[in-house]
Amino acid sequence: LKPMAGVFAGVTFSCHFSDQLAVKTGVFYDVKGAKRDISLTDKNGYVLTETEFRDVFKYLTIPLMMNYSTNNKVNLFVNAGPYFSFLIQNTLEADNVPDYGNVKVELTDEYKSSDFGVSFGIGISKDFGSGWNVLFEIRDNLGLTNIIKEGGDNYSVNHNTFNFLPGISYMF
């Protein structure tokens, strides 16, 4: 399996306990998955073609993280905490499959409807005054749930995603 580029977009909310300590949460549309090369053969075992299949998961993700920051004009910060994800859809996709064209198979019912894990992030933000900030964060999300619904006793599938998160924030 190879990693697949996805989307992680949404809104965040922070509740500050001090200038340096806060709780951060939000709601995100989260697309993640993996891709693999598969050889398609005829009934005699001769390879007809190689194609790339993508296993695409779409989730609604809610993190709940503690945030520590340096509280300067250029602010360094770290985040850590759990996340909860709710499966919207899972598909297996491939392009230009001989005799089938583009393929998209719905597999949502084969996976558990939720995922749980822990997130760790580090980032930097810049205060531009009047409450506006620009920020960049790198976050690793480690899935702790075996997302396979049936037959999961024999093997386990867990998500592990790496996000690069650019953003704009406003402090009310």
Side-chain angles (χ1 to χ4, degrees), residues 18-102:
S18 70
D19 287 342
Q20 295 177 317
L21 192 61
V23 171
K24 247 170 102 168
T25 189
V27 178
F28 294 89
Y29 177 69
D30 189 3
V31 179
K32 50 190 161 190
K35 50 190 177 180
R36 61 191 136 196
D37 294 325
I38 295 179
S39 298
L40 301 176
T41 61
D42 65 13
K43 63 182 177 182
N44 297 318
Y46 294 108
V47 174
L48 299 173
T49 188
E50 296 242 343
T51 191
E52 179 182 87
F53 279 83
R54 297 173 305 281
D55 204 0
V56 181
F57 293 86
K58 297 177 183 174
Y59 283 94
L60 182 68
T61 298
I62 302 169
L64 180 62
M65 301 197 302
M66 290 300 297
N67 172 270
Y68 176 80
S69 60
T70 59
N71 198 29
N72 298 321
K73 280 287 191 184
V74 175
N75 181 31
L76 300 175
F77 62 88
V78 293
N79 298 318
Y83 72 83
F84 307 91
S85 293
F86 304 96
L87 183 61
I88 299 168
Q89 182 183 44
N90 171 251
T91 54
L92 186 62
E93 303 173 4
D95 298 326
N96 302 319
V97 178
D99 299 328
Y100 295 98
N102 295 340

Side-chain angles (χ1 to χ4, degrees), residues 74-168:
V74 175
N75 181 31
L76 300 175
F77 62 88
V78 293
N79 298 318
Y83 72 83
F84 307 91
S85 293
F86 304 96
L87 183 61
I88 299 168
Q89 182 183 44
N90 171 251
T91 54
L92 186 62
E93 303 173 4
D95 298 326
N96 302 319
V97 178
D99 299 328
Y100 295 98
N102 295 340
V103 175
K104 185 174 185 177
V105 179
E106 173 77 30
L107 296 174
T108 305
D109 291 337
E110 303 297 317
Y111 293 92
K112 292 180 182 172
S113 61
S114 61
D115 184 23
F116 170 78
V118 291
S119 294
F120 306 95
I122 186 168
I124 188 168
S125 67
K126 170 76 171 111
D127 182 357
F128 284 95
S130 301
W132 289 100
N133 292 285
V134 172
L135 58 97
F136 298 95
E137 181 182 350
I138 296 172
R139 188 180 297 173
D140 191 8
N141 304 301
L142 304 171
L144 302 176
T145 303
N146 178 5
I147 61 170
I148 299 294
K149 190 184 279 185
E150 299 294 326
D153 297 335
N154 298 328
Y155 61 95
S156 180
V157 175
N158 301 69
H159 289 297
N160 183 8
T161 59
F162 186 76
N163 304 120
F164 174 68
L165 305 169
I168 298 172

